[in-house]
Amino acid sequence: MSSSKPLDLRLPTPGCYADPERAGIDADAVFDGMTEHLFFTLGKLAPTASLHDLYMALSYAVRDRLMTRYLASMEAIRAQPQKTVAYLSAEFLIGPQLNNNLLNLGIQKEAEEALRRFGIESLAETLEVEEEPGLGNGGLGRLAACYMESLATLQVPAVGYGIRYEFGIFNQIIRNGWQVEVTDKWLKGGWPWELPQPDEACFVGFGGRTESYIDDKGNYRSRWIPNENAIGVPHDVPLLGYRVNSCNRLRLWRADATESFDFYAFNIGDYYGAVEEKVGSETLSKVLYPNDGTDEGRRLRLKQQHFFVSCSLQDMLRSLENRKISIKDFPKHWTVQLNDTHPAIAVAELMRLLIDDRYLDWETAWEITTQSVAYTNHTLLPEALEKWDLGLFKSLLPRHLEIIYEINRRFLQQVRLRYPGNDNILRKVSIIDEEGGKAIRMAHLATIGAHHINGVAALHSDLIKRQLLPEFTKIWPEKFTNVTNGVTPRRWVALANPKLADLLDKEIGPSWITNMELLKNLESRENDSNFLEEFGNTKLSGKIKLASYIHRQSGVLVDPSSMFDVQVKRIHQYKRQHLNALQVITQYLRIKNGQDQSLAPRTVIFGGKAAPGYFMAKLIIRFINGIAETVNADPDMDGRLKVIFLADYNVKLGEQVYPATDLSEQISTAGKEASGTGNMKFAMNGALTIGTLDGANVEIREKVGEQNFFLFGKTESEIMDLQNANYMPQSYIEELPELEEALHLIDLGHFSNGDTELFKPLTNNLRTRDPFFVMADFADYLRAQDSVNRAWIDKKEWNRMSLINCARSGFFSSDRSIMEYCNSIWNVEPLPVEITCDVN
């Protein structure tokens, strides 16, 4: 990605988009901005202002300082049109915004000084008030957030398109060991970072029918007549890059009804009917990931996907029209990235908008679509590759179904010409799955309509070509590529781990934060005992902070000098939290049996949410909490073993967990995890990894060196061999007495207050089916954990290994990922923004 000359943006008189006093970034200006917003925006006086009021006032004052950069960036695109990235994602797990914006503006100290004048001694105290935005759930949404941050930092014009969910997926509380879901009312106190734009709303249709007609040029055409409509109202969130003027935006769509109130229904006494349309339409943006275990849940999820995709594509087309740019030049000005299959309907919707609304012919519309759309695949799991029942799809999107049929017809004709008489390959590549109930394969639609398909780790991209889409790879080998995921060092080191960031600034200079390859300079200090101790102290500082949080939340005291052994991620059988839990039981039994001489004192920490309808994942949470209850109450475990489950794991909590972790558990079944990004955050913060050859673990191990990584488990090909050879988990149990003893203790009710039935579904599954090969990998996992115990004894050596993990983690910066997208997939250039008025 080459660098462009900065655009000299001479702003209108008086020289800035805003009053220069509202753009100042010294402590006096920030204090004045807070005072002004307390009075005029919040209607409060300083003596009566609550901590939340001060958070809101500071946030508004900071937002003021974003506005010059934000409007200048929007004007730059208008004045000098060039290709912009449209990142379509069902999730954006952006995390708290205040501290991130303070860091990127470079005014954390100034904000802290302004707060002191209001009697608040710590910026951290104010940051704690901020709610976690409920716009995402897991790795998919967090990756999207990291990418948007890197796009702004690299000064690449971009818009992130998604849904403004009123409620997040859920807040997790633990009650009697079980996960309980409660509503995530993240907007209840107001969100100062959004800018509603009601004058740029879009209409979206559902249901109804299609009809054919002949236009005034004698061409046969179709039109869609929906029987239901909703309005998408955009809310923009400014996303500033690190210490640059470029400020992109997240455009989130809120659903409104076309008619909010039916006076006729109200007047005849139908009070619910009077607002029925409003309630039904607004449900579209009500909650992140409605339960798709019911027909209504699946229907709502499909409606959500079409809603935000249609609004976003309409917005892109409108932007061209407003700038008097030909619709045929769409690929020159927009590159549309599909973040997994959730926005895959974009292929059909863009075709509909071009053919039905802009009256282009099929060939021209298809060329525009295929030159504009790219698709990132994030999973190999069949249940996560979206397929929509044909009947459901037709009832909601009849015109789109016609377009998909035509896309499929034309594509299959090409395949027939290439593979004459091969009906088998036609069945495999068709967008329509004919087996069982007919369904639309959204991954196939995205693959056919995209100019590039990328996986998110080297192994994952290889498996896409070999296992998931091999027939498509043979047809279009040039379409398939890899871009290994990355994470932003601004949030995950500079914000999350200020002690480490300060040490890096002192040792290698502050440029590391935008050039992570500079971390390699740390290797020159790998044998320096004093520096290694200083590096280790940054970790201890994080552990003391996390230990304090654990005590406040659970009342459990943990020893910061113990090894913090951490597995935090979505709870799923393939991620194998139950494998980790079983080895904890084995360590527990070794201590009880007096075999603990070589065991390192450990605090084993779990965190993550289970999908509300996923019974086995919720049982695993109950299992972990049962172990924690037993272990933590046993005096024999004092100073040796503690188990913690962190409730409601999110970005805010992650910022405390990653800097405090000694050992990172990345133990998914080989071939199941696309990439992972937690593994990267841990490595950047100096954690050592115990893991399988899965996802980005492969590349992490290559970068940090096999001697600085604790490897175990069967490879992806060995797992495939077991699948094909009538895998018998019981045979592995019989070969390992420690494993048999652990399972027997579970069955006796030792970790469930004597209830011998509670965990039977879990242990029976492991003994008979074991779909993710926990039993097959258990012995090697214990061996690797024994290696961890031995390594922990030599603290200098552990610190050296930790330093090497940090020093060699630069490849996993999201800046590198975005540069690869820009160069190999999107073909976009930076557009630096130079503001001539003084905003400093």
Side-chain angles (χ1 to χ4, degrees):
M1 184 174 69
S2 62
S3 187
S4 299
K5 182 180 178 181
L7 181 69
D8 185 0
L9 201 72
R10 300 189 182 278
L11 303 182
T13 304
C16 211
Y17 281 110
D19 180 346
E21 291 184 7
R22 299 185 74 168
I25 56 176
D26 59 26
D28 289 340
V30 175
F31 173 77
D32 290 344
M34 290 183 65
T35 303
E36 180 177 319
H37 280 293
L38 274 176
F39 190 90
F40 290 106
T41 306
L42 302 172
K44 297 289 182 72
L45 295 173
T48 60
S50 67
L51 189 58
H52 184 268
D53 292 331
L54 292 172
Y55 154 72
M56 293 290 284
L58 177 57
S59 296
Y60 281 124
V62 171
R63 195 183 78 176
D64 288 345
R65 281 135 188 86
L66 299 182
M67 284 302 99
T68 296
R69 296 162 176 83
Y70 173 72
L71 292 172
S73 298
M74 299 304 104
E75 177 63 17
I77 287 291
R78 189 199 65 77
Q80 185 176 309
Q82 70 172 64
K83 189 181 286 189
T84 299
V85 177
Y87 199 85
L88 271 60
S89 180
E91 297 184 42
F92 286 95
L93 191 58
I94 59 174
Q97 291 297 286
L98 176 55
N99 204 21
N100 196 67
N101 284 322
L102 292 173
L103 173 75
N104 287 350
L105 284 168
I107 59 170
Q108 286 172 305
K109 291 180 181 178
E110 289 77 5
E112 191 148 34
E113 171 58 30
L115 284 167
R116 284 196 196 100
R117 300 182 194 180
F118 288 100
I120 305 299
E121 291 302 316
S122 168
L123 174 61
E125 187 180 351
T126 306
L127 296 175
E128 190 58 34
V129 173
E130 186 169 8
E131 287 282 342
E132 174 104 3
L135 300 169
N137 175 40
L140 183 83
R142 186 53 233 172
L143 180 77
C146 285
Y147 280 1
M148 291 304 300
E149 195 274 351
S150 279
L151 281 162
T153 295
L154 294 170
Q155 305 181 83
V156 176
V159 182
Y161 284 109
I163 297 177
R164 180 188 180 270
Y165 300 104
E166 183 178 345
F167 302 109
I169 187 165
F170 60 84
N171 285 333
Q172 179 195 59
I173 60 175
I174 302 300
R175 185 175 297 154
N176 298 322
W178 290 98
Q179 169 181 292
V180 176
E181 301 95 21
V182 297
T183 306
D184 176 13
K185 301 177 183 178
W186 70 279
L187 284 167
K188 64 181 182 293
W191 197 37
W193 302 107
E194 62 182 357
L195 303 164
Q197 308 287 353
D199 57 325
E200 298 182 35
C202 297
F203 282 81
V204 181
F206 302 97
R209 59 186 173 85
T210 63
E211 64 179 25
S212 300
Y213 69 99
I214 299 176
D215 67 16
D216 55 7
K217 295 181 180 180
N219 299 312
Y220 282 94
R221 292 200 172 274
S222 294
R223 60 177 155 232
W224 179 24
I225 306 172
N227 62 6
E228 179 186 347
N229 290 282
I231 298 174
V233 179
H235 289 60
D236 292 344
V237 182
L239 299 175
L240 180 67
Y242 179 77
R243 310 291 165 88
V244 294
N245 292 323
S246 295
C247 188
N248 290 327
R249 62 178 167 167
L250 190 59
R251 173 153 277 199
L252 303 172
W253 299 97
R254 188 195 79 227
D256 277 356
T258 53
E259 184 64 52
S260 296
F261 190 79
D262 185 340
F263 277 100
Y264 175 76
F266 183 82
N267 287 335
I268 65 172
D270 184 4
Y271 303 123
Y272 174 76
V275 294
E276 184 175 10
E277 182 182 349
K278 175 179 172 64
V279 172
S281 295
E282 292 181 358
T283 299
L284 287 171
S285 56
K286 188 66 68 176
V287 65
L288 170 65
Y289 290 154
N291 187 356
D292 61 359
T294 65
D295 290 342
E296 281 306 308
R298 286 187 289 273
R299 185 179 183 86
L300 177 55
R301 204 180 268 212
L302 178 55
K303 289 180 75 173
Q304 283 185 333
Q305 292 177 6
H306 171 61
F307 166 72
F308 95 83
V309 165
S310 179
C311 287
S312 304
L313 290 171
Q314 290 181 57
D315 191 58
M316 293 176 226
L317 290 167
R318 180 173 55 196
S319 78
L320 298 185
E321 292 167 350
N322 290 342
R323 291 179 285 166
K324 305 295 189 289
I325 296 171
S326 170
I327 296 300
K328 293 181 181 180
D329 288 335
F330 186 96
K332 296 179 182 178
H333 295 276
W334 287 103
T335 179
V336 181
Q337 187 67 39
L338 310 180
N339 193 28
D340 216 4
T341 53
H342 307 116
I345 191 64
V347 175
E349 174 65 358
L350 184 53
M351 287 294 291
R352 185 191 71 81
L353 291 168
L354 294 173
I355 294 170
D356 294 359
D357 290 5
R358 270 65 176 187
Y359 306 112
L360 299 183
D361 62 84
W362 180 277
E363 287 73 18
T364 302
W366 186 243
E367 184 177 4
I368 291 171
T369 299
T370 55
Q371 287 180 0
S372 304
V373 174
Y375 161 50
T376 299
N377 174 278
H378 283 281
T379 186
L380 298 166
L381 298 178
E383 65 267 26
L385 288 169
E386 286 189 315
K387 293 198 297 185
W388 292 110
D389 174 78
L390 208 63
L392 168 63
F393 197 95
K394 183 177 182 179
S395 70
L396 278 178
L397 303 170
R399 178 60 179 140
H400 298 75
L401 184 59
E402 292 178 352
I403 291 170
I404 288 171
Y405 273 140
E406 181 62 14
I407 293 171
N408 201 44
R409 183 190 70 78
R410 291 173 180 243
F411 168 65
L412 292 182
Q413 183 59 25
Q414 293 178 26
V415 178
R416 286 189 188 95
L417 294 175
R418 182 162 180 164
Y419 300 99
N422 190 339
D423 289 342
N424 184 47
I425 196 170
L426 292 177
R427 283 193 297 272
K428 288 182 178 180
V429 300
S430 174
I431 299 172
I432 310 301
D433 185 354
E434 304 281 354
E435 296 182 10
K438 288 188 177 182
I440 298 174
R441 298 161 163 158
M442 300 307 284
H444 287 203
L445 176 63
T447 299
I448 294 166
H451 57 78
H452 279 87
I453 300 96
N454 73 281
V456 291
L459 175 63
H460 172 237
S461 295
D462 180 58
L463 292 174
I464 288 175
K465 292 189 282 188
R466 287 195 290 112
Q467 293 183 13
L468 187 66
L469 300 169
E471 294 79 16
F472 287 102
T473 307
K474 292 176 183 176
I475 295 169
W476 293 309
E478 71 283 358
K479 276 193 178 189
F480 290 83
T481 188
N482 173 66
V483 179
T484 297
N485 284 343
V487 300
T488 170
R490 270 74 65 181
R491 182 175 291 275
W492 297 114
V493 181
L495 285 183
N497 201 344
K499 296 285 188 183
L500 176 58
D502 288 345
L503 180 62
L504 296 178
D505 285 350
K506 184 178 74 172
E507 180 63 23
I508 57 178
S511 296
W512 65 270
I513 199 168
T514 53
N515 181 6
M516 289 286 282
E517 290 302 318
L518 292 174
L519 294 181
K520 290 179 180 177
N521 294 330
L522 293 173
E523 292 191 51
S524 64
R525 306 297 293 272
E526 67 173 309
N527 295 312
D528 183 330
S529 298
N530 292 332
F531 184 79
L532 289 176
E533 183 177 356
E534 191 174 1
F535 183 82
N537 285 337
T538 68
K539 178 70 66 181
L540 181 60
S541 175
K543 293 169 73 174
I544 291 170
K545 182 179 177 182
L546 182 59
S548 176
Y549 173 87
I550 290 169
H551 184 244
R552 291 196 310 272
Q553 296 300 311
S554 67
V556 178
L557 286 169
V558 300
D559 181 2
S561 69
S562 66
M563 181 199 304
F564 277 23
D565 175 353
V566 179
Q567 187 176 19
V568 286
K569 55 184 70 219
R570 179 166 54 93
I571 308 296
H572 196 291
Q573 288 180 85
Y574 89 82
K575 294 178 184 286
R576 301 202 296 190
Q577 285 90 353
H578 48 332
L579 170 60
N580 190 356
L582 280 171
Q583 75 87 19
V584 170
I585 293 175
T586 301
Q587 308 291 2
Y588 168 80
L589 284 169
R590 286 176 175 177
I591 295 170
K592 295 296 284 184
N593 295 332
Q595 301 170 336
D596 61 320
Q597 293 82 1
S598 62
L599 297 183
R602 287 200 198 207
T603 299
V604 184
I605 301 171
F606 297 85
K609 295 178 181 179
Y614 191 172
F615 168 74
M616 193 62 78
K618 296 177 85 167
L619 186 62
I620 288 172
I621 291 176
R622 178 65 184 87
F623 181 47
I624 293 167
N625 281 299
I627 295 170
E629 182 181 340
T630 302
V631 167
N632 297 343
D634 191 331
D636 291 343
M637 301 299 115
D638 281 349
R640 295 181 173 89
L641 184 64
K642 286 281 177 71
V643 180
I644 302 295
F645 187 90
L646 296 172
D648 204 33
Y649 184 73
N650 56 20
V651 174
K652 283 181 75 170
L653 188 46
E655 289 177 9
Q656 296 191 60
V657 169
Y658 292 112
T661 298
D662 296 302
L663 184 69
S664 162
E665 298 273 352
Q666 306 297 330
I667 60 177
S668 53
T669 311
K672 299 300 182 184
E673 183 75 84
S675 168
T677 53
N679 46 8
M680 302 170 186
K681 297 163 196 167
F682 282 121
M684 278 186 186
N685 283 280
L688 276 59
T689 303
I690 182 169
T692 54
L693 288 177
D694 194 31
N697 289 354
V698 177
E699 289 152 282
I700 289 175
R701 183 170 179 262
E702 289 173 355
K703 297 294 182 185
V704 306
E706 61 184 45
Q707 70 276 23
N708 301 306
F709 185 107
F710 299 100
L711 177 67
F712 79 94
K714 299 194 178 299
T715 64
E716 175 269 328
S717 61
E718 290 170 336
I719 292 292
M720 288 291 292
D721 290 343
L722 283 176
Q723 284 180 323
N724 297 329
N726 193 25
Y727 170 58
M728 301 291 289
Q730 186 61 37
S731 63
Y732 289 89
I733 297 170
E734 292 170 357
E735 292 175 1
L736 191 63
E738 282 189 303
L739 177 55
E740 182 68 82
E741 185 181 6
L743 290 169
H744 181 63
L745 198 62
I746 298 165
D747 289 338
L748 288 176
H750 188 74
F751 303 102
S752 49
N753 296 312
D755 185 342
T756 59
E757 297 298 316
L758 180 60
F759 298 129
K760 275 288 175 63
L762 181 60
T763 56
N764 286 346
N765 179 278
L766 291 172
R767 290 181 185 278
T768 58
R769 291 185 59 244
D770 191 19
F772 296 103
F773 303 92
V774 172
M775 302 296 94
D777 274 351
F778 191 81
D780 203 29
Y781 184 45
L782 276 189
R783 177 202 55 76
Q785 291 286 6
D786 289 341
S787 297
V788 170
N789 285 322
R790 289 191 295 271
W792 182 258
I793 294 171
D794 186 343
K795 289 301 296 181
K796 179 182 176 182
E797 176 61 13
W798 185 278
N799 285 340
R800 187 199 65 79
M801 295 166 71
S802 175
L803 178 71
I804 293 298
N805 269 262
C806 174
R808 298 179 183 176
S809 66
F811 175 80
F812 301 103
S813 167
S814 50
D815 295 349
R816 185 269 314 155
S817 303
I818 287 301
M819 285 190 281
E820 289 186 13
Y821 275 105
C822 288
N823 292 331
S824 64
I825 296 177
W826 298 334
N827 190 28
V828 297
E829 296 286 342
L831 180 58
V833 176
E834 184 174 290
I835 300 175
T836 57
C837 67
D838 181 12
V839 297
N840 298 313

